[in-house]
């Protein structure tokens, strides 16, 4: 028997399943005690923590460091070492682990290390303390879990994700539900309302079960957030129809949150796999339009029907990059949910931080824009970050989808380049921002052509920076004003003669001719697009 609070590695592996972690070495006959999980830091010393699962982040299985880490972990008393091979050979590492007497596990390469860390932590917290004691079903059957919770706590139960989608609900006879919960079950989505908003805010702020009085037309209920570490994955709600659920029901609900987190993390892993598959299919379609015959059925689309591409992105400055990365995943979930509601099976994927959706031709010319605008507004409301969305042109079939895809990307760039920074919610079609989109395309062309001389634009800006002059802004104001000296002087709030002097000096210093229309055009493009080009 293992001590209370210590799990057996075999139980943890059973809970997580072989798709996430699989042994590379033969498992010992007896139990392997594990009490925690630790991420290896390559640049620091190995902490001597016994009975711990060590995640070898960033260590290649073919590296000498991996074999050294196996020995060091075994001497320090670690329970096992987890690696990702990414196709590298593992035979030498397996032999080193066998000699050292430490269990070596291989993790699914597609699962992020921080997700794996959270899943193992949840498994450690629940396998001994809760799962075996209560008989909660194994991973994958959330409806059975909901019924088990309803039986323990004594009230109708629902399990939701962090977007308030109802993932499962109990079906035990004789347990009452109110109208709000009935509507939520019918639509698999919690209804909007300030009373519900207040309840979700309350449970997100504490790590215990909360008790809520009845809202108008409803019944009292208990609620608890489901977490993996500090991340809220979802929530569990139990209706207290007779206002009779006691502290034991509250404790049972708090206890069950650990095992439910394991279910939700496993479900998210499955969703991530679907998301990666869709992204791979879209990439294949864009790279090779001839693959449409094979790809279209897997996306559930008719290859010959007109389609447009919508692109969604979270607009955030550099200080918010971590927030934007997290929000992009949630944005993908929201876009996928709405597209599925409108089109059934669809092509929707998160690719390099941008969410792309294939939109079949709608009932009206404005149908796509209305849908995308609605999704963007809802996403902004749910995520509390600026959201931008662009729609490419409608094309005749999936074989031409690359053109619409490129157009949607250009719209996003044009929206991002608008002065004033990101707004709460911006949506546009390629037809609405054709001028800005054209400039973005030109910026890409200029950046890609190494043969084109690039000195002039950067040279003017560098001269201004070094000498404290304002030639770049003066030239740009003059060209923006269609070569009108008076208008440029008003824009810069200087005398017209100052403008004339600066322009003349600029021609002398940099060697261009403002009387030449071609040079004026190229000079304007270089200065206008300097920020996009990094000049």
């Amino acid at each position: 028997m293992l001590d209370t609070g210590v799990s057996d590695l075999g139980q943890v592996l059973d809970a997580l399943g072989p798709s996430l972690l699989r042994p590379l070495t033969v498992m010992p006959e007896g139990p392997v005690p594990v009490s925690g999980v630790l991420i290896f830091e390559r640049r620091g010393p190995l902490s001597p923590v016994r009975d711990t699962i060590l995640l070898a982040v960033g260590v290649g299985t073919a590296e000498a460091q991996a074999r050294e880490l196996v020995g060091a972990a075994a001497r320090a008393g670690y329970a096992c070492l987890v690696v990702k091979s990414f196709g590298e050979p593992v035979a030498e590492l397996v032999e080193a682990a066998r000699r050292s007497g430490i269990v070596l596990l291989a993790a699914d390469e597609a699962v992020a290390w921080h997700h794996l860390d959270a899943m193992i932590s949840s498994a450690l917290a629940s396998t001994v303390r809760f799962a075996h004691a209560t008989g909660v079903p194994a991973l994958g059957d959330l409806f059975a879990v909901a019924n088990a919770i309803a039986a323990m706590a004594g009230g109708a139960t629902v399990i939701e994700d962090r977007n308030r989608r109802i993932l499962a609900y109990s079906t035990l006879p004789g347990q009452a539900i109110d109208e709000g919960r009935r509507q939520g079950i019918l639509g698999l989505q919690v209804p909007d309302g300030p009373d519900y908003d207040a309840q979700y805010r309350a449970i997100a702020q504490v790590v215990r079960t909360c008790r809520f009085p009845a809202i108008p037309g409803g019944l009292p209920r208990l609620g608890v957030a489901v977490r993996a570490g500090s991340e809220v994955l979802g929530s569990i709600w139990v209706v207290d129809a007779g206002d009779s659920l006691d502290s034991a029901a509250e404790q049972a609900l708090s206890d069950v949150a650990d095992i439910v987190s394991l279910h939700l993390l496993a479900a998210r892993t499955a969703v991530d796999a679907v998301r990666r598959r869709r992204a791979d299919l879209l990439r294949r379609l864009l790279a090779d339009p001839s693959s449409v015959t094979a790809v279209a059925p897997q996306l559930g689309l008719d290859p010959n029907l007109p389609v447009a591409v919508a692109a969604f992105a979270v607009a955030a400055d550099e200080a918010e990059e971590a927030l934007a990365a997290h929000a992009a995943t949630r944005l993908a979930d929201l876009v996928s949910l709405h597209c599925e509601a409108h089109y059934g099976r669809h092509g929707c994927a998160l690719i390099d931080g941008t969410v792309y959706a294939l939109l079949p031709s709608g009932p009206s010319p404005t149908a796509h824009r209305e849908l995308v605008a609605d999704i963007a507004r809802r996403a902004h409301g749910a995520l509390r970050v600026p959201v931008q969305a662009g729609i490419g042109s409608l094309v005749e079939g999936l074989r031409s989808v690359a053109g619409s895809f490129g157009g949607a990307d250009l719209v996003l760039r044009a929206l991002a380049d608008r002065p004033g920074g990101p707004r709460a919610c911006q949506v546009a079609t390629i037809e609405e921002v054709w001028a800005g989109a054209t400039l973005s395309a030109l910026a890409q062309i200029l950046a890609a052509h190494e043969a084109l001389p690039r000195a002039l634009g950067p040279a003017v800006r560098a001269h201004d920076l070094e000498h404290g002059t304002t030639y770049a802004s003066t030239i740009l104001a003059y060209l923006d004003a269609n070569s009108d000296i008076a208008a440029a002087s008003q824009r810069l709030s200087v005398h017209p003669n100052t403008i004339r002097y600066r322009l003349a000096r600029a021609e002398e210093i940099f060697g261009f001719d403002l009387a030449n229309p071609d040079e004026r055009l190229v000079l304007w493009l270089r200065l206008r697009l300097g920020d996009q080009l990094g000049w």
Side-chain angles (χ1 to χ4, degrees), residues 308 365 369 391-395 404 407 411 428-437:
R369 197 191 191 288
I391 309 167
S393 300
L394 189 70
V395 295
S404 186
V411 175
T429 66
I430 187 67
E431 291 78 13
E432 292 170 345
V433 294
W434 64 268

Side-chain angles (χ1 to χ4, degrees), residues 294-324:
V295 171
Q298 298 180 68
L299 292 175
L301 297 173
D302 185 333
N304 299 313
L305 286 181
V307 66
V309 175
F312 300 80
V314 173
D317 58 28
E318 293 181 357
E320 298 171 319
E321 284 184 357
L323 172 65

Side-chain angles (χ1 to χ4, degrees), residues 85-100:
S85 67
F86 293 102
E88 294 182 349
V90 297
E92 292 186 11
L93 190 61
V94 170
E95 178 59 24
R98 187 192 65 77
R99 290 196 305 268
S100 299

